[in-house]
């Protein structure tokens, strides 16, 4: 049997599967809970706990700045971090298409292990399935995570008039990097995804006594989706200064080419935060000291009316709604 | 140009040059001041039709309406390729997609536009093989990878996108790919302008000319609008500075009572246009006797079809009697027709934002990212918040 690619037997529950799990997954994610090989991981959870799950299907699996493995760890870790929780334990579900190159799987697993090290979380249980060729697009991953709540009370419903809105970095890079990889575009300079684990930055914020009301990583739907969801959930108006929203030249150019808006494009390592305006500069100072968030900036504030809407102020003095992106992101025709 | 660059994977795109300088706040404010000043001399209100939906979106997305005086109004034109597609043509695409062993390919928002019984997206969800393309040339690989299927490219768009279809056809011929067919729905801007101006109730007395269309066809195609309809035409780029500068030029031309064609988008548009692209289009296409436009009805010589020698690639011929041909009008409550003819504003429509939203569209003007109703729904109606 070829060991260069995944065979149906790797999911059959027998020798080949055992070998794959031991030689690849156990080796990369080694920890004592996983090593016990019981039917379920035995955890010692204390106090309020955050619990989240996410499935990852991305095409292509490798893109500038990351791969599906890095995404699967960062995505779940960030969901926990955004609720003020320290990521502790993760599960990993792997669905592999028959014929998937073993070397690619090894690269992806190594990338997951490397991302886990950045936040201290452990993969403590998992599942592997192999499906016949044509039944999956290469590789699907699912990660579920639990984390200890360090700061309770963060919620999309807690935004208050007078809050400042911050973003931790420039927006739209993940969506643009994926588009670039799909379309084989070559840019004048390297556009890479922002894909990264945010717990390190959030942990620094949480040791300070900031009264953070809400945090959210701006994944699918981008900044527009987060702000619209917050405005609706908290029944407030959010106003954004367009000139303050950081967007890289590459993302601006790509948006121009395809007729997209950077605020609609996905991020995988950039988050939005709301806290009282008086504390915003302090929070910025902390964020900017952290490697991944040196471009953090205040982009707007929370008001009262019209409740549920997000208003964008253009640099030339006009206003417009920043609406939710709708449907598939498709390029303009002409 | 953008499309050219996409097809040259080895070239390094200078994307910054696409927008740099054209969103400068100081320039936009200065242009707004000059427009407001010049508009005081207008002897009658200026009703500018922006033919292309891209310009409608620039005006709405960048909040330019708020900077323009009351005697300069915008009328949104029929220049959105998705909006002008009549339902029977979408029904034909859906019929093709639902056939056994057919893969239906199309561009952008086309998959969301409702035909008489749903959209291509709904057909896809119920099992039809419908694939939206980013680049028409991707159709070659799909046809090559599926030799046992018939791949149909549902080709849409104005003069801008026709050369891309021609290139695809040329390459399909060179590669002798027998299973790639074309359903041609390419339409032409000048006959649409004539149709708008033939409407007795039209108020249009100036045009912002489409940007990308003009890159291909040249500014010469608007001569008739200027000479016969006595309307000034300014061919404009899509950035806010482009549009503001074009509005200023139109106001100034109106003050001088000059009905001429002016090219603001001179960084990309010449009088003659892209002659290579035009020759390529001429090689493969000829003008149809008539094409029914959504909202505008049949317009003579307003669309293209494949030339007889490429009949073996023509899906309309290949699938002949199996395609529905019944003409289907819009929902009675939908005013897209009046909007496309320049007789109504999206906000005039009784179902706007109520029975008709981007998620549940009655008409294609609400679906397309280049549609006037979609632009109004997304961006219009902001209260003053300062």
């Amino acid at each position: 049997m070829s060991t260069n690619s995944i065979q149906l037997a790797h999911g059959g529950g027998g020798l080949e599967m055992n070998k794959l799990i031991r030689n690849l997954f156990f080796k990369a994610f080694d920890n004592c809970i996983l090593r016990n090989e019981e039917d379920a991981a035995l955890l010692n959870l204390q106090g309020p706990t955050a619990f989240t799950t996410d499935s990852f299907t991305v095409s292509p699996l490798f893109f500038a700045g990351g791969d599906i493995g890095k995404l699967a760890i960062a995505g779940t870790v960030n969901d926990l971090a955004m609720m003020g929780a320290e990521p502790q334990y993760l599960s990993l579900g792997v669905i592999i298409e028959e014929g998937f190159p073993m070397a690619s799987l090894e690269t992806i697993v190594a990338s997951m292990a490397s991302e886990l090290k950045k936040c201290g979380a452990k993969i403590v249980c998992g599942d592997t399935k192999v499906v016949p060729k044509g039944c999956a697009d290469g590789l699907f991953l699912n990660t579920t995570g639990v984390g200890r709540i360090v700061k309770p009370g963060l919620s999309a419903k807690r935004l208050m008039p007078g809050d400042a809105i911050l973003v931790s970095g420039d927006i739209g890079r993940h969506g643009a990097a994926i588009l670039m990889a799909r379309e084989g575009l070559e840019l004048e300079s390297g556009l890479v995804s922002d894909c990264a684990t945010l717990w390190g930055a959030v942990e620094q914020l949480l040791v300070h006594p900031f009264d953070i009301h809400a945090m959210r990583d701006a994944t699918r739907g981008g900044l527009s989706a987060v702000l619209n969801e917050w405005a609706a959930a908290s029944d407030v108006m959010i106003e954004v200064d367009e000139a303050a929203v950081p967007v890289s030249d590459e993302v601006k150019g790509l948006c121009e080419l395809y007729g997209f808006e950077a605020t609609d494009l996905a991020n995988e390592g950039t988050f939005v935060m709301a806290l009282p305006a008086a504390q915003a500069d302090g929070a910025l100072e902390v964020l900017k000291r952290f490697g991944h968030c040196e471009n953090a900036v205040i982009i707007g504030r929370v008001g009262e009316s019209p409740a549920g809407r997000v208003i964008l102020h253009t640099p030339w003095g006009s206003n417009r709604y920043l609406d939710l992106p709708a449907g598939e992101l498709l390029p303009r025709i002409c | 140009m953008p499309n050219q660059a996409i097809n040259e994977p080895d070239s390094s795109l200078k994307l910054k040059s696409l927008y740099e300088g054209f969103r400068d706040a100081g320039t936009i404010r200065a242009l707004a001041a000059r427009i407001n000043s010049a508009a005081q001399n207008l002897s009658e209100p200026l009703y500018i039709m922006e033919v292309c939906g891209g310009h409608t979106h620039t005006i709405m997305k960048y909040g330019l309406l708020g900077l323009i005086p009351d005697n300069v109004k915008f009328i949104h034109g029929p220049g959105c390729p998705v909006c002008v597609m009549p339902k029977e043509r979408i029904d034909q695409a859906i019929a093709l997609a639902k056939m056994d062993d057919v893969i239906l390919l199309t561009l952008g928002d086309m998959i969301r536009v409702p035909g008489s019984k749903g959209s291509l997206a709904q057909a896809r969800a119920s099992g039809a093989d419908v694939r939206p393309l980013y680049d028409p040339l991707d159709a070659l690989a799909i046809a090559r990878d599926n030799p046992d299927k018939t791949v149909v490219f549902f080709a849409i768009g104005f003069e801008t996108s026709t050369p891309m279809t021609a290139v695809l056809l040329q390459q399909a011929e060179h590669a002798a790919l027998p299973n790639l067919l074309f359903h041609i729905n390419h339409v032409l801007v000048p006959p649409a302008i004539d149709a708008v101006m033939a409407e007795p109730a039209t108020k249009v007395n100036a045009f912002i000319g489409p940007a990308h269309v003009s890159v291909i066809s040249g500014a010469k195609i608007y001569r008739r609008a200027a000479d016969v309809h006595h309307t000034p035409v300014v061919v404009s780029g899509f950035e806010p500075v482009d549009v503001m500068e074009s509005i200023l030029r139109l106001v100034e031309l109106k003050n001088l009572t000059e009905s001429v064609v002016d090219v603001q988008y001179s960084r990309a548009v010449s009088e003659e246009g892209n002659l290579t692209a035009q020759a390529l289009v001429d090689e493969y296409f000829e003008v149809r006797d008539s094409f029914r436009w959504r909202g505008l009805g049949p317009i003579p010589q307003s669309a293209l079809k494949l030339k007889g020698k490429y009949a073996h690639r023509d899906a309309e011929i290949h699938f002949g009697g199996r395609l529905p041909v019944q003409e289907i009008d819009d929902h009675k409550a939908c005013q897209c027709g009046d909007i496309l003819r320049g007789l109504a504003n999206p906000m005039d429509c009784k179902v706007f934002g109520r029975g008709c939203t981007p998620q549940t569209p009655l008409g294609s003007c609400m679906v397309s990212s280049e549609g006037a109703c979609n632009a109004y729904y997304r961006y219009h109606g902001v209260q003053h918040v300062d």
Side-chain angles (χ1 to χ4, degrees):
Chain A
M1 187 183 72
S2 163
T3 52
N4 293 330
S5 65
I6 293 292
Q7 312 292 307
L8 280 175
H10 283 117
L15 189 69
E16 293 85 354
M17 182 163 142
N18 202 287
K19 218 168 143 186
L20 177 74
I21 290 172
R22 282 175 184 285
N23 291 352
L24 185 60
F25 295 114
F26 276 26
K27 215 165 150 186
F29 306 137
D30 185 46
N31 62 70
C32 56
I33 304 174
L34 193 64
R35 235 180 288 130
N36 275 339
E37 292 186 60
E38 297 291 354
D39 279 353
L42 299 181
L43 307 180
N44 188 18
L45 299 177
Q46 285 172 336
T49 302
F51 179 36
T52 187
T53 190
D54 211 340
S55 298
F56 298 84
T57 63
V58 62
S59 175
L61 296 170
F62 297 89
F63 47 85
D67 57 50
I68 190 174
K70 185 179 182 185
L71 206 58
I73 299 300
T76 289
V77 162
N78 291 349
D79 282 349
L80 294 170
M82 293 300 104
M83 293 303 290
E86 177 191 7
Q88 290 176 291
Y89 304 113
L90 267 61
S91 73
L92 170 65
V94 188
I95 295 175
I96 319 171
E97 185 184 22
E98 179 188 15
F100 191 74
M102 189 65 83
S104 298
L105 187 62
E106 285 166 359
T107 307
I108 288 164
V109 168
S111 164
M112 296 175 90
S114 149
E115 207 57 25
L116 278 168
K117 279 202 186 96
K118 294 177 190 164
C119 65
K122 296 178 176 67
I123 287 179
V124 292
C125 59
D127 175 59
T128 304
K129 294 280 185 296
V130 178
V131 295
K133 185 109 184 144
C135 291
D137 189 11
L139 180 73
F140 297 155
L141 299 177
N142 170 276
T143 48
T144 296
V146 291
R148 181 179 64 91
I149 299 272
V150 175
K151 181 175 181 63
L154 295 178
S155 167
K157 298 186 187 71
R158 268 199 69 205
L159 272 78
M160 315 259 283
D163 280 359
I165 302 287
L166 279 65
V167 286
S168 67
D170 61 289
I171 61 163
R173 271 198 283 129
H174 180 68
I178 292 291
L179 181 67
M180 195 175 72
R182 275 185 198 160
E183 296 306 302
L185 292 178
E186 210 173 279
L187 300 179
E188 69 228 42
S189 61
L191 167 65
V192 294
S193 165
D194 62 334
C195 181
T197 298
L198 289 167
W199 171 244
V202 171
E203 188 178 26
Q204 296 302 310
L205 278 175
L206 298 188
V207 298
H208 292 80
F210 298 123
D211 180 21
I212 300 171
H213 291 160
M215 289 193 289
R216 187 164 285 183
D217 49 342
T219 55
R220 271 181 308 171
L223 180 66
S224 308
V226 172
L227 295 181
N228 275 283
E229 284 161 16
W230 280 1
S234 295
D235 203 28
V236 293
M237 179 270 285
I238 296 175
E239 51 186 326
V240 174
D241 295 322
E242 190 177 8
V245 178
V247 186
S248 72
D249 286 340
E250 292 86 354
V251 171
K252 275 186 196 165
L254 209 78
C255 284
E256 193 52 35
L257 196 59
Y258 283 93
F260 293 154
E261 291 198 56
T263 47
D264 290 353
L265 293 181
N267 309 272
E268 287 295 346
T270 302
F271 69 101
V272 195
M273 179 164 69
L275 81 174
Q279 300 175 17
D281 286 335
L284 260 191
E285 209 181 301
V286 172
L287 274 178
K288 280 172 174 287
R289 282 206 299 265
F290 190 82
H292 190 65
C293 300
E294 61 270 20
N295 294 325
V297 68
I298 299 167
I299 59 164
R301 63 222 132 250
V302 179
E304 286 177 9
S305 173
R309 297 302 310 242
V310 182
I311 289 169
L312 199 67
H313 298 293
T314 70
W316 42 88
S318 63
N319 307 317
R320 69 158 169 110
Y321 289 129
L322 182 66
D323 205 5
L324 267 175
E328 295 169 67
L329 271 185
L330 297 167
R332 67 166 162 229
I333 293 161
C334 75
Chain B
M1 287 322 296
N3 280 341
Q4 255 176 329
I6 294 171
N7 292 325
E8 293 168 11
D10 293 329
S11 71
S12 172
L13 296 181
K14 299 291 178 197
L15 291 180
K16 201 173 175 182
S17 62
L18 290 177
Y19 63 87
E20 198 170 42
F22 296 105
R23 292 178 197 167
D24 179 68
T27 309
I28 293 170
R29 285 177 194 270
L31 285 165
R34 287 182 61 190
I35 291 168
N36 278 273
S37 167
Q40 288 176 11
N41 299 324
L42 284 171
S43 57
E44 57 175 353
L46 190 57
Y47 287 95
I48 302 173
M49 173 169 275
E50 76 281 5
V51 179
C52 172
H55 287 132
T56 311
H57 270 257
T58 300
I59 290 164
M60 302 308 296
K61 176 176 157 186
Y62 296 107
L64 303 185
L65 273 188
L67 306 177
I68 303 296
D70 286 344
N71 60 344
V72 176
K73 316 258 187 213
F74 289 98
I75 295 177
H76 314 298
C80 159
V82 169
C83 301
V84 298
M85 192 68 65
K87 284 190 174 179
E88 59 267 23
R89 303 293 289 186
I90 298 164
D91 285 354
Q92 290 187 1
I94 291 170
L96 285 166
K98 284 185 170 172
M99 288 178 191
D100 289 339
D101 298 324
V102 168
I103 301 172
L104 194 283
L105 311 175
T106 192
L107 294 175
D109 294 324
M110 200 62 234
I111 75 159
R112 288 201 285 251
V113 182
S116 68
K117 291 174 195 133
S119 64
L120 282 166
Q122 286 165 325
R124 181 178 64 179
S126 61
D129 197 343
V130 178
R131 304 183 193 181
L133 299 178
Y134 274 62
D135 179 347
L137 292 182
D138 291 345
L140 293 169
I142 294 170
R144 225 175 264 127
D145 295 345
N146 295 277
D148 52 340
K149 306 239 171 159
T150 302
V151 177
V152 182
F153 180 55
F154 186 69
I156 61 166
F158 286 89
E159 287 88 338
T160 325
S161 43
T162 315
M164 293 294 285
T165 306
V167 170
L168 177 60
L169 208 150
Q170 185 185 44
Q171 298 205 10
E173 287 287 278
H174 283 173
L177 277 174
N179 61 329
L180 180 57
L181 304 186
F182 294 76
H183 188 285
I184 300 296
N185 300 275
H186 287 301
V187 284
L188 303 167
V189 165
I193 290 180
D194 286 344
V196 164
M197 295 310 287
E199 173 62 54
T202 190
K203 291 180 177 172
V204 175
N205 56 6
F207 285 100
I208 287 181
H212 294 156
V213 161
S214 312
V215 173
I216 302 294
S217 60
K220 63 179 184 290
I221 66 166
Y222 308 111
R223 291 264 162 255
R224 182 178 157 78
D227 296 344
V228 176
H229 305 305
H230 309 294
T231 51
V233 181
V234 175
V235 178
S236 173
F238 283 122
E239 292 296 330
V241 165
D242 290 326
V243 172
M244 291 295 280
E245 194 182 347
S246 298
I247 296 166
L248 176 62
R249 287 195 197 181
L250 284 172
V251 173
E252 289 173 344
L253 286 171
K254 208 69 187 172
N255 282 336
L256 295 168
T257 63
E258 285 187 14
S259 296
V260 296
V261 179
D262 192 3
V263 180
Q264 180 277 335
Y265 195 37
S266 56
R267 61 189 186 275
V269 172
S270 65
E271 175 69 13
E272 292 304 317
N274 184 333
L275 296 173
T276 311
Q278 291 168 27
L280 196 64
V281 169
D282 288 344
E283 162 65 25
Y284 294 99
F285 297 98
E286 62 189 13
V287 176
R288 282 178 197 259
D289 292 338
S290 180
F291 188 83
R292 209 171 87 101
W293 292 51
R294 185 161 177 270
L296 294 160
I299 304 179
Q301 307 205 308
S302 63
L304 300 176
K305 64 177 182 179
L306 287 179
K307 280 186 172 170
K309 63 175 167 174
Y310 300 105
H312 58 286
R313 298 262 173 210
D314 195 330
E316 288 184 76
I317 294 171
H318 187 85
F319 292 100
R322 297 165 68 189
L323 299 180
V325 289
Q326 192 193 348
E327 294 180 353
I328 296 152
D329 290 324
D330 285 324
H331 191 284
K332 278 182 188 153
C334 169
Q335 270 188 274
C336 280
D338 289 342
I339 293 163
L340 288 167
R341 284 202 302 278
L343 302 178
N345 185 282
M347 310 291 275
D348 299 333
C349 180
K350 287 190 176 64
V351 290
F352 176 87
R354 299 184 183 90
C356 183
T357 67
Q359 286 70 47
T360 55
L362 276 184
S364 49
C365 296
M366 185 58 93
V367 184
S368 167
S369 59
E370 288 161 46
C373 296
N374 183 284
Y376 269 72
Y377 186 89
R378 282 177 68 105
Y379 306 122
H380 196 49
V382 180
Q383 305 295 313
H384 191 72
V385 291
D386 292 334

